[in-house]
Amino acid sequence: MDNDDQLDRLERSLITGRINRRAFIAGAVATGLVSSTSAQALADDLDQARITQDRNTRALKRAYDYVVVGAGSAGCALVGTLAKRDPSAQILLIEAGGWDKAESVNNPGLWFTNLGTERDWGDVAIPSPGVNNRAIPEHTGRVIGGGSSINATIWARPFKADLDHWAEESGDKRWGYRHGLELLKGAEDWQGKPNKKYRGTGGPVWVQPSADPLPLATAALDGMREVGLPVLEDLNGEREVTGNGFGYMNQIIKDGRRQSMARAFLYPVLKRDNVTVLANTQVNKVLLRGKTAVGVECVRNGRKRVFRARGEVILSTGGFNTPKLLMLSGIGKAAHLRDHNINVEVHAPEVGENVQDHILHGGCLYESPAPIQPRNSAANVSGYYKTDPSFELPDVSLVQIEIPYASEVIAAQYAPPPNTWALCAGLVAPKSRGTVRLASANPGKRPVVDMKFLSHPDDVAALERSIEIARSVAATAAMKPHVVREVAPGKTLVGAELANFVRNGATTYFHSSGACRMGKDDRAVVDAELRVNGVNNLRIADSTIMPRIVAVPTMPACVLIGLRMAELLTESRRAS
């Protein structure tokens, strides 16, 4: 462990109470990165956060101005921003998972070891014909920071077409690209080449180009140039407008450590008296008085607790938990609620509909002539391409992964050796739509997730095109020094054989979205101000509000949703 890592770990240990102030100062000075005076000042700041949170959680109030459920990317951005904008507002943030202390959270190269642990909700999409009746895991974060703590560290901002579509669907131009770009620029602390038009500096989110990429990654970009794909200096910027571009990924990594949205937004406000964070606390339902949300019922330390909201309740629990929580609260499709003996408070038939995720195809595999030591989060090159300029969004996406990334079927069929890398085709604008349903009225039961992956024929066709382009890149002269052989598929595939390869290789990016869509029509779950239709004082701020999933990794889009919610709540409070 280097000195930067040691200091980072010391900071987290002090703020969560694992070490005392004296031990922190001694350890910090020993790293050689700070003087005794600086270590004492830093200790004072961090200790104040610990003391404040310890005091606040020991003296919980019966009511808060805002009760926010879920400390994922959107929830952290919302609370961190709102606490600063409205210091008089008392905010309670409730998170089912624990604090983000695990080394697998903080070390970007270990991110995949979080999957299937207590930091993951562990949902699995039920078998569906589009993926040859395979059950595909849908990992989502159950920890402070949510997906920004357990998933890969990629910062890819939405396309202009994505956000302009949201503006059209919602009827509010502030959801469009122009305003969204300004919010995301304001959130960024970009470490790459300055670009005032597209990039921001001085914001809370540390973003840098992939550090010290492997020759394999550089060769991949050269191979992409060889086949005529556009390679850009920065993957955030021009690509958002044109829909085309490949390059080194932007990463939320600083000095080799993950800078999650908890680190960016939440940690800086923990010493504020108006913020209380309850980790390891499971919310069971939203409490309604008539058609008005008045609080939440939760379980903490084995005891049932109720927290009231003087102002509003905001759900930020993610792709599957938010629709589940609405339905457990009596908000959903009436017939489905009655099937589970849940009183129907609001008939909202689209709760749990419109569910989408990106497909990451684990199938195109290449043996390297030497062992590979992955850098950063083991993926450093990606990009997007429209094979037809008339397309609104790219139909082709590629991600190079520096490990033998493969679905369970492909891995069993082709047995890739350890020194294998992948050039994964991606589906980022899916047309298939799934559902989330309750399995039971018991809050402890996970929902039934039916993603209906690749049920739309256009999705299969798009992946076939992506696979063709991926294989052409791997076959270029630039890639020749890094390819002993194509492990999979290893031969020409056409027709039914190619479609079968597509279906067998399908996995996901773990970007579940859309189950509580925003819209201006009566059937939409939330309106343009993210208010749940038919319920007063209840809003949603997470990936579920997306009318259509953005065609990029969803973390920055979720941050944008959290920032917009902070704007909306501040405006509403000032107007009242």
Side-chain angles (χ1 to χ4, degrees):
M1 181 186 303
D2 63 26
N3 289 341
D4 285 311
D5 292 349
Q6 180 64 24
L7 183 59
D8 182 73
R9 179 172 289 184
L10 287 165
E11 290 178 9
R12 290 173 183 268
S13 295
L14 178 59
I15 207 169
T16 55
R18 297 176 68 189
I19 62 173
N20 61 26
R21 184 176 183 277
R22 179 179 296 178
F24 171 82
I25 293 172
V29 171
T31 67
L33 296 175
V34 294
S35 66
S36 177
T37 301
S38 297
Q40 291 182 54
L42 182 57
D44 288 342
D45 195 47
L46 296 169
D47 209 29
Q48 184 58 52
R50 182 188 62 78
I51 291 169
T52 299
Q53 289 307 307
D54 186 60
R55 181 181 66 241
N56 288 355
T57 55
R58 289 176 183 272
L60 291 168
K61 306 175 190 300
R62 295 186 63 184
Y64 294 81
D65 295 305
Y66 300 108
V67 176
V68 181
V69 185
S73 296
C76 287
L78 163 59
V79 171
T81 305
L82 185 62
K84 294 177 180 178
R85 287 189 177 182
D86 193 351
S88 66
Q90 286 292 320
I91 305 167
L92 176 64
L93 174 60
I94 304 175
E95 166 58 41
W99 286 93
D100 52 337
K101 297 181 292 186
E103 178 64 11
S104 56
V105 168
N106 301 309
N107 183 338
L110 299 177
W111 71 266
F112 46 87
T113 66
N114 291 301
L115 309 181
T117 70
E118 70 277 8
R119 293 176 292 282
D120 174 10
W121 282 101
D123 292 302
V124 178
I126 63 174
S128 57
V131 288
N132 288 340
N133 295 309
R134 296 162 50 228
I136 296 182
E138 277 279 6
H139 303 288
T140 53
R142 190 175 188 265
V143 63
I144 297 290
S148 77
S149 287
I150 74 162
N151 209 338
T153 53
I154 311 309
W155 182 261
R157 299 187 320 211
F159 289 96
K160 181 178 186 294
D162 287 321
L163 298 185
D164 286 348
H165 176 76
W166 289 10
E168 181 180 354
E169 289 293 304
S170 67
D172 185 345
K173 64 181 182 181
R174 292 178 299 174
W175 282 108
Y177 180 71
R178 182 175 180 180
H179 188 55
L181 177 60
E182 290 307 308
L183 289 178
L184 288 171
K185 284 172 61 179
E188 285 184 344
D189 191 12
W190 169 238
Q191 302 301 305
K193 184 178 179 179
N195 185 334
K196 289 184 178 181
K197 181 177 180 180
Y198 289 115
R199 304 313 302 250
T201 57
V205 182
W206 177 279
V207 185
Q208 67 181 32
S210 292
D212 192 24
L214 290 171
L216 171 64
T218 303
L221 292 179
D222 290 340
M224 290 169 183
R225 290 188 184 95
E226 276 192 52
V227 300
L229 298 175
V231 175
L232 306 177
E233 186 173 21
D234 181 5
L235 265 185
N236 286 310
E238 176 188 343
R239 180 272 305 162
E240 298 165 23
V241 177
T242 66
N244 294 309
F246 295 79
Y248 292 121
M249 295 176 178
N250 287 193
Q251 309 260 4
I252 53 165
I253 300 174
K254 180 181 181 182
D255 298 324
R257 307 296 280 175
R258 179 193 295 270
Q259 299 299 300
S260 72
M261 297 309 100
R263 291 288 286 181
F265 291 101
L266 186 59
Y267 274 72
V269 301
L270 290 180
K271 64 182 179 181
R272 289 176 173 261
D273 290 332
N274 67 327
V275 175
T276 300
V277 180
L278 286 185
N280 299 303
T281 303
Q282 175 67 50
V283 172
N284 287 342
K285 65 178 178 179
V286 178
L287 299 174
L288 302 178
R289 183 181 298 136
K291 303 299 183 186
T292 299
V294 296
V296 298
E297 177 188 288
C298 59
V299 175
R300 177 171 171 78
N301 297 327
R303 294 177 52 211
K304 189 175 290 186
R305 297 289 302 264
V306 169
F307 295 103
R308 301 286 175 178
R310 289 187 291 267
E312 303 199 46
V313 175
I314 301 97
L315 303 184
S316 191
T317 55
F320 306 131
N321 285 318
T322 290
K324 175 191 171 189
L325 195 49
L326 286 178
M327 289 185 281
L328 289 173
S329 307
I331 304 166
K333 190 173 184 178
H336 180 59
L337 299 181
R338 293 190 186 106
D339 286 343
H340 294 285
N341 297 314
I342 296 173
N343 290 332
V344 180
E345 304 293 344
V346 175
H347 174 54
E350 289 207 16
V351 170
E353 301 290 325
N354 191 48
V355 183
Q356 305 153 58
D357 199 349
H358 300 135
I359 294 290
L360 181 64
H361 189 266
C364 295
L365 302 172
Y366 301 89
E367 183 178 356
S368 168
I372 301 169
Q373 294 296 324
R375 303 279 170 84
N376 301 306
S377 60
N380 293 283
V381 167
S382 69
Y384 310 88
Y385 186 65
K386 295 191 285 189
T387 58
D388 184 331
S390 69
F391 288 166
E392 182 185 11
L393 288 166
D395 55 318
V396 166
S397 177
L398 301 180
V399 181
Q400 185 186 58
I401 301 182
E402 296 160 358
I403 59 175
Y405 184 87
S407 72
E408 79 287 1
V409 175
I410 298 298
Q413 181 178 355
Y414 293 94
N419 55 317
T420 295
W421 55 271
L423 190 53
C424 298
L427 176 69
V428 293
K431 295 183 179 179
S432 303
R433 298 292 184 266
T435 61
V436 179
R437 298 282 186 262
L438 291 177
S440 164
N442 180 354
K445 298 290 186 181
R446 297 304 299 154
V448 178
V449 177
D450 184 2
M451 295 302 295
K452 298 182 171 64
F453 289 125
L454 304 185
S455 56
H456 196 292
D458 288 358
D459 291 349
V460 177
L463 276 171
E464 289 177 349
R465 292 193 293 274
S466 286
I467 288 169
E468 180 182 358
I469 292 175
R471 297 182 73 188
S472 70
V473 171
T476 58
M479 295 302 300
K480 190 174 182 179
H482 303 280
V483 177
V484 174
R485 64 185 176 101
E486 184 182 72
V487 177
K491 63 178 183 178
T492 301
L493 301 176
V494 295
E497 193 175 21
L498 175 58
N500 197 50
F501 181 70
V502 167
R503 298 185 193 281
N504 281 336
T507 71
T508 88
Y509 283 86
F510 321 130
H511 296 160
S512 52
S513 303
C516 302
R517 74 169 177 90
M518 172 176 62
K520 56 180 178 284
D521 59 293
D522 293 339
R523 292 179 62 86
V525 179
V526 299
D527 65 10
E529 296 190 7
L530 304 184
R531 298 172 296 200
V532 175
N533 286 319
V535 184
N536 300 315
N537 298 344
L538 179 61
R539 305 201 202 205
I540 298 174
D542 60 27
S543 65
T544 64
I545 68 97
M546 297 183 190
R548 183 180 70 195
I549 190 171
V550 293
V552 288
T554 50
M555 176 171 55
C558 287
V559 168
L560 174 60
I561 291 166
L563 296 175
R564 281 288 294 132
M565 178 61 88
E567 280 189 332
L568 293 166
L569 292 175
T570 304
E571 292 168 2
S572 178
R573 190 170 167 91
R574 287 173 179 168
S576 62

